[in-house]
mmCIF file of all heavy atoms in Angstrom:
data_model
loop_
_atom_site.group_PDB
_atom_site.id
_atom_site.type_symbol
_atom_site.label_atom_id
_atom_site.label_comp_id
_atom_site.label_asym_id
_atom_site.label_seq_id
_atom_site.Cartn_x
_atom_site.Cartn_y
_atom_site.Cartn_z
ATOM 1 N N ASP A 78 -11.802 -17.994 60.120
ATOM 2 C CA ASP A 78 -13.089 -18.182 60.795
ATOM 3 C C ASP A 78 -14.248 -17.954 59.829
ATOM 4 O O ASP A 78 -15.287 -18.613 59.926
ATOM 5 C CB ASP A 78 -13.204 -17.233 61.986
ATOM 6 C CG ASP A 78 -12.369 -17.688 63.173
ATOM 7 O OD1 ASP A 78 -11.940 -18.866 63.181
ATOM 8 O OD2 ASP A 78 -12.147 -16.861 64.082
ATOM 9 N N GLU A 82 -17.192 -20.604 59.283
ATOM 10 C CA GLU A 82 -18.593 -20.256 59.486
ATOM 11 C C GLU A 82 -19.424 -20.562 58.242
ATOM 12 O O GLU A 82 -20.586 -20.960 58.343
ATOM 13 C CB GLU A 82 -18.706 -18.777 59.867
ATOM 14 C CG GLU A 82 -18.175 -18.496 61.267
ATOM 15 C CD GLU A 82 -18.045 -17.011 61.572
ATOM 16 O OE1 GLU A 82 -18.444 -16.197 60.697
ATOM 17 O OE2 GLU A 82 -17.548 -16.667 62.658
ATOM 18 N N ALA A 85 -19.919 -24.370 58.345
ATOM 19 C CA ALA A 85 -20.660 -24.929 59.487
ATOM 20 C C ALA A 85 -22.067 -25.329 59.044
ATOM 21 O O ALA A 85 -22.642 -24.748 58.122
ATOM 22 C CB ALA A 85 -20.733 -23.900 60.613
ATOM 23 N N HIS A 124 -24.257 -33.071 72.692
ATOM 24 C CA HIS A 124 -23.267 -31.997 72.698
ATOM 25 C C HIS A 124 -23.870 -30.732 73.287
ATOM 26 O O HIS A 124 -25.094 -30.586 73.386
ATOM 27 C CB HIS A 124 -22.823 -31.701 71.257
ATOM 28 C CG HIS A 124 -23.955 -31.281 70.372
ATOM 29 N ND1 HIS A 124 -24.332 -29.961 70.203
ATOM 30 C CD2 HIS A 124 -24.841 -32.005 69.636
ATOM 31 C CE1 HIS A 124 -25.376 -29.895 69.394
ATOM 32 N NE2 HIS A 124 -25.719 -31.122 69.032
ATOM 33 N N ALA A 125 -22.998 -29.818 73.672
ATOM 34 C CA ALA A 125 -23.447 -28.511 74.143
ATOM 35 C C ALA A 125 -23.646 -27.575 72.954
ATOM 36 O O ALA A 125 -23.079 -27.794 71.882
ATOM 37 C CB ALA A 125 -22.403 -27.919 75.094
ATOM 38 N N TRP A 126 -24.468 -26.560 73.161
ATOM 39 C CA TRP A 126 -24.603 -25.498 72.165
ATOM 40 C C TRP A 126 -23.574 -24.431 72.500
ATOM 41 O O TRP A 126 -23.545 -23.911 73.614
ATOM 42 C CB TRP A 126 -26.018 -24.910 72.203
ATOM 43 C CG TRP A 126 -27.020 -25.712 71.428
ATOM 44 C CD1 TRP A 126 -27.257 -27.053 71.545
ATOM 45 C CD2 TRP A 126 -27.921 -25.218 70.425
ATOM 46 N NE1 TRP A 126 -28.247 -27.432 70.664
ATOM 47 C CE2 TRP A 126 -28.679 -26.331 69.973
ATOM 48 C CE3 TRP A 126 -28.166 -23.969 69.880
ATOM 49 C CZ2 TRP A 126 -29.653 -26.210 68.984
ATOM 50 C CZ3 TRP A 126 -29.139 -23.849 68.902
ATOM 51 C CH2 TRP A 126 -29.874 -24.957 68.462
ATOM 52 N N LEU A 127 -22.739 -24.068 71.536
ATOM 53 C CA LEU A 127 -21.684 -23.093 71.781
ATOM 54 C C LEU A 127 -22.201 -21.666 71.751
ATOM 55 O O LEU A 127 -21.583 -20.761 72.321
ATOM 56 C CB LEU A 127 -20.564 -23.273 70.758
ATOM 57 C CG LEU A 127 -19.923 -24.675 70.725
ATOM 58 C CD1 LEU A 127 -18.720 -24.687 69.788
ATOM 59 C CD2 LEU A 127 -19.518 -25.138 72.118
ATOM 60 N N GLU A 128 -23.307 -21.427 71.067
ATOM 61 C CA GLU A 128 -23.950 -20.112 71.036
ATOM 62 C C GLU A 128 -25.459 -20.316 71.090
ATOM 63 O O GLU A 128 -25.950 -21.390 70.713
ATOM 64 C CB GLU A 128 -23.561 -19.333 69.768
ATOM 65 C CG GLU A 128 -22.081 -18.966 69.700
ATOM 66 C CD GLU A 128 -21.734 -18.142 68.468
ATOM 67 O OE1 GLU A 128 -22.662 -17.789 67.707
ATOM 68 O OE2 GLU A 128 -20.538 -17.854 68.259
ATOM 69 N N VAL A 129 -26.187 -19.291 71.526
ATOM 70 C CA VAL A 129 -27.639 -19.436 71.656
ATOM 71 C C VAL A 129 -28.314 -19.584 70.298
ATOM 72 O O VAL A 129 -29.409 -20.140 70.203
ATOM 73 C CB VAL A 129 -28.252 -18.236 72.411
ATOM 74 C CG1 VAL A 129 -27.786 -18.225 73.854
ATOM 75 C CG2 VAL A 129 -27.921 -16.921 71.715
ATOM 76 N N SER A 130 -27.666 -19.110 69.244
ATOM 77 C CA SER A 130 -28.280 -19.178 67.918
ATOM 78 C C SER A 130 -27.779 -20.349 67.081
ATOM 79 O O SER A 130 -28.362 -20.657 66.036
ATOM 80 C CB SER A 130 -28.006 -17.876 67.150
ATOM 81 O OG SER A 130 -26.608 -17.666 67.000
ATOM 82 N N HIS A 131 -26.721 -21.009 67.533
ATOM 83 C CA HIS A 131 -26.128 -22.098 66.735
ATOM 84 C C HIS A 131 -25.272 -22.973 67.647
ATOM 85 O O HIS A 131 -24.478 -22.460 68.434
ATOM 86 C CB HIS A 131 -25.256 -21.516 65.615
ATOM 87 C CG HIS A 131 -24.934 -22.478 64.516
ATOM 88 N ND1 HIS A 131 -24.163 -23.606 64.719
ATOM 89 C CD2 HIS A 131 -25.272 -22.484 63.202
ATOM 90 C CE1 HIS A 131 -24.036 -24.267 63.580
ATOM 91 N NE2 HIS A 131 -24.704 -23.613 62.643
ATOM 92 N N PRO A 132 -25.411 -24.290 67.553
ATOM 93 C CA PRO A 132 -24.639 -25.170 68.437
ATOM 94 C C PRO A 132 -23.159 -25.279 68.077
ATOM 95 O O PRO A 132 -22.340 -25.599 68.929
ATOM 96 C CB PRO A 132 -25.331 -26.529 68.271
ATOM 97 C CG PRO A 132 -25.888 -26.480 66.892
ATOM 98 C CD PRO A 132 -26.326 -25.050 66.685
ATOM 99 N N ASP A 133 -22.842 -24.994 66.819
ATOM 100 C CA ASP A 133 -21.473 -25.234 66.357
ATOM 101 C C ASP A 133 -21.142 -24.263 65.213
ATOM 102 O O ASP A 133 -20.960 -24.668 64.069
ATOM 103 C CB ASP A 133 -21.356 -26.691 65.875
ATOM 104 C CG ASP A 133 -19.934 -27.137 65.639
ATOM 105 O OD1 ASP A 133 -19.015 -26.553 66.238
ATOM 106 O OD2 ASP A 133 -19.737 -28.080 64.848
ATOM 107 N N PRO A 134 -21.073 -22.965 65.508
ATOM 108 C CA PRO A 134 -21.005 -21.954 64.446
ATOM 109 C C PRO A 134 -19.747 -22.001 63.584
ATOM 110 O O PRO A 134 -19.751 -21.463 62.473
ATOM 111 C CB PRO A 134 -21.105 -20.631 65.210
ATOM 112 C CG PRO A 134 -20.618 -20.952 66.588
ATOM 113 C CD PRO A 134 -21.077 -22.348 66.852
ATOM 114 N N ARG A 135 -18.683 -22.642 64.055
ATOM 115 C CA ARG A 135 -17.461 -22.740 63.257
ATOM 116 C C ARG A 135 -17.102 -24.196 62.922
ATOM 117 O O ARG A 135 -16.017 -24.463 62.426
ATOM 118 C CB ARG A 135 -16.293 -22.073 63.991
ATOM 119 C CG ARG A 135 -16.493 -20.588 64.237
ATOM 120 C CD ARG A 135 -15.327 -19.979 64.982
ATOM 121 N NE ARG A 135 -15.627 -18.604 65.403
ATOM 122 C CZ ARG A 135 -14.852 -17.901 66.230
ATOM 123 N NH1 ARG A 135 -13.739 -18.436 66.725
ATOM 124 N NH2 ARG A 135 -15.190 -16.665 66.562
ATOM 125 N N GLY A 136 -18.007 -25.105 63.209
ATOM 126 C CA GLY A 136 -17.782 -26.495 62.854
ATOM 127 C C GLY A 136 -16.764 -27.222 63.705
ATOM 128 O O GLY A 136 -16.343 -28.335 63.356
ATOM 129 N N GLU A 137 -16.382 -26.653 64.833
ATOM 130 C CA GLU A 137 -15.358 -27.286 65.675
ATOM 131 C C GLU A 137 -15.826 -28.625 66.234
ATOM 132 O O GLU A 137 -15.047 -29.596 66.289
ATOM 133 C CB GLU A 137 -14.989 -26.338 66.828
ATOM 134 C CG GLU A 137 -14.335 -25.052 66.379
ATOM 135 C CD GLU A 137 -14.589 -23.910 67.342
ATOM 136 O OE1 GLU A 137 -15.767 -23.512 67.496
ATOM 137 O OE2 GLU A 137 -13.613 -23.409 67.927
ATOM 138 N N GLN A 138 -17.089 -28.681 66.648
ATOM 139 C CA GLN A 138 -17.598 -29.934 67.205
ATOM 140 C C GLN A 138 -17.765 -30.986 66.109
ATOM 141 O O GLN A 138 -17.534 -32.179 66.349
ATOM 142 C CB GLN A 138 -18.925 -29.687 67.925
ATOM 143 C CG GLN A 138 -18.795 -28.703 69.080
ATOM 144 C CD GLN A 138 -19.911 -28.815 70.088
ATOM 145 O OE1 GLN A 138 -19.780 -29.532 71.080
ATOM 146 N NE2 GLN A 138 -20.995 -28.105 69.866
ATOM 147 N N TRP A 184 -29.495 -30.342 65.682
ATOM 148 C CA TRP A 184 -29.535 -29.114 64.891
ATOM 149 C C TRP A 184 -29.867 -29.406 63.431
ATOM 150 O O TRP A 184 -30.614 -28.664 62.793
ATOM 151 C CB TRP A 184 -28.193 -28.417 65.013
ATOM 152 C CG TRP A 184 -27.956 -27.237 64.126
ATOM 153 C CD1 TRP A 184 -27.052 -27.140 63.109
ATOM 154 C CD2 TRP A 184 -28.609 -25.963 64.194
ATOM 155 N NE1 TRP A 184 -27.100 -25.899 62.535
ATOM 156 C CE2 TRP A 184 -28.052 -25.153 63.183
ATOM 157 C CE3 TRP A 184 -29.615 -25.425 64.999
ATOM 158 C CZ2 TRP A 184 -28.461 -23.835 62.954
ATOM 159 C CZ3 TRP A 184 -30.023 -24.116 64.778
ATOM 160 C CH2 TRP A 184 -29.451 -23.342 63.768
ATOM 161 N N GLN A 191 -34.848 -20.366 62.942
ATOM 162 C CA GLN A 191 -33.620 -19.628 62.660
ATOM 163 C C GLN A 191 -33.539 -18.514 63.690
ATOM 164 O O GLN A 191 -34.468 -17.707 63.809
ATOM 165 C CB GLN A 191 -33.642 -19.034 61.249
ATOM 166 C CG GLN A 191 -32.370 -18.304 60.862
ATOM 167 C CD GLN A 191 -31.202 -19.260 60.644
ATOM 168 O OE1 GLN A 191 -31.307 -20.210 59.890
ATOM 169 N NE2 GLN A 191 -30.103 -19.007 61.330
ATOM 170 N N LYS A 192 -32.442 -18.460 64.449
ATOM 171 C CA LYS A 192 -32.334 -17.477 65.523
ATOM 172 C C LYS A 192 -31.262 -16.436 65.227
ATOM 173 O O LYS A 192 -30.272 -16.714 64.557
ATOM 174 C CB LYS A 192 -32.032 -18.178 66.853
ATOM 175 C CG LYS A 192 -33.175 -19.050 67.343
ATOM 176 C CD LYS A 192 -32.908 -19.603 68.729
ATOM 177 C CE LYS A 192 -34.097 -20.416 69.240
ATOM 178 N NZ LYS A 192 -33.862 -20.944 70.593
ATOM 179 N N ALA A 193 -31.483 -15.243 65.757
ATOM 180 C CA ALA A 193 -30.503 -14.171 65.662
ATOM 181 C C ALA A 193 -29.418 -14.405 66.699
ATOM 182 O O ALA A 193 -29.522 -15.294 67.557
ATOM 183 C CB ALA A 193 -31.188 -12.827 65.875
ATOM 184 N N ALA A 194 -28.368 -13.594 66.636
ATOM 185 C CA ALA A 194 -27.232 -13.769 67.538
ATOM 186 C C ALA A 194 -27.626 -13.658 69.012
ATOM 187 O O ALA A 194 -26.997 -14.282 69.878
ATOM 188 C CB ALA A 194 -26.142 -12.754 67.208
ATOM 189 N N ASP A 195 -28.682 -12.881 69.310
ATOM 190 C CA ASP A 195 -29.100 -12.725 70.702
ATOM 191 C C ASP A 195 -30.082 -13.803 71.151
ATOM 192 O O ASP A 195 -30.577 -13.775 72.277
ATOM 193 C CB ASP A 195 -29.729 -11.342 70.911
ATOM 194 C CG ASP A 195 -30.996 -11.131 70.070
ATOM 195 O OD1 ASP A 195 -31.370 -12.047 69.304
ATOM 196 O OD2 ASP A 195 -31.591 -10.050 70.182
ATOM 197 N N GLY A 196 -30.360 -14.764 70.280
ATOM 198 C CA GLY A 196 -31.253 -15.860 70.632
ATOM 199 C C GLY A 196 -32.699 -15.633 70.254
ATOM 200 O O GLY A 196 -33.521 -16.549 70.377
ATOM 201 N N SER A 197 -33.037 -14.450 69.799
ATOM 202 C CA SER A 197 -34.418 -14.187 69.374
ATOM 203 C C SER A 197 -34.685 -14.904 68.058
ATOM 204 O O SER A 197 -33.774 -15.169 67.270
ATOM 205 C CB SER A 197 -34.643 -12.682 69.212
ATOM 206 O OG SER A 197 -33.773 -12.147 68.220
ATOM 207 N N LEU A 234 -15.469 -28.577 75.668
ATOM 208 C CA LEU A 234 -15.745 -27.428 74.821
ATOM 209 C C LEU A 234 -14.454 -26.908 74.208
ATOM 210 O O LEU A 234 -13.373 -27.104 74.756
ATOM 211 C CB LEU A 234 -16.394 -26.303 75.647
ATOM 212 C CG LEU A 234 -17.754 -26.612 76.292
ATOM 213 C CD1 LEU A 234 -18.218 -25.422 77.096
ATOM 214 C CD2 LEU A 234 -18.777 -26.979 75.237
ATOM 215 N N PRO A 235 -14.552 -26.242 73.062
ATOM 216 C CA PRO A 235 -13.359 -25.607 72.493
ATOM 217 C C PRO A 235 -12.744 -24.618 73.479
ATOM 218 O O PRO A 235 -13.437 -24.042 74.322
ATOM 219 C CB PRO A 235 -13.906 -24.891 71.248
ATOM 220 C CG PRO A 235 -15.147 -25.627 70.898
ATOM 221 C CD PRO A 235 -15.730 -26.067 72.211
ATOM 222 N N ARG A 237 -11.805 -21.645 73.211
ATOM 223 C CA ARG A 237 -12.340 -20.282 73.174
ATOM 224 C C ARG A 237 -13.632 -20.144 73.947
ATOM 225 O O ARG A 237 -14.064 -19.022 74.259
ATOM 226 C CB ARG A 237 -12.562 -19.846 71.725
ATOM 227 C CG ARG A 237 -13.669 -20.593 71.003
ATOM 228 C CD ARG A 237 -13.828 -20.117 69.554
ATOM 229 N NE ARG A 237 -14.904 -20.813 68.866
ATOM 230 C CZ ARG A 237 -16.179 -20.449 68.913
ATOM 231 N NH1 ARG A 237 -16.530 -19.383 69.646
ATOM 232 N NH2 ARG A 237 -17.123 -21.106 68.271
ATOM 233 N N CYS A 238 -14.272 -21.294 74.278
ATOM 234 C CA CYS A 238 -15.544 -21.274 75.007
ATOM 235 C C CYS A 238 -15.358 -21.516 76.490
ATOM 236 O O CYS A 238 -16.341 -21.582 77.233
ATOM 237 C CB CYS A 238 -16.493 -22.328 74.430
ATOM 238 S SG CYS A 238 -16.911 -22.065 72.703
#
Side-chain angles (χ1 to χ4, degrees):
D78 284 345
E82 289 170 4
H124 60 90
W126 278 52
L127 302 187
E128 295 183 4
V129 293
S130 60
H131 197 295
D133 192 24
R135 298 179 189 171
E137 295 152 296
Q138 299 201 93
W184 172 246
Q191 183 71 53
K192 293 186 177 181
D195 62 358
S197 61
L234 298 178
R237 68 181 181 86
C238 299

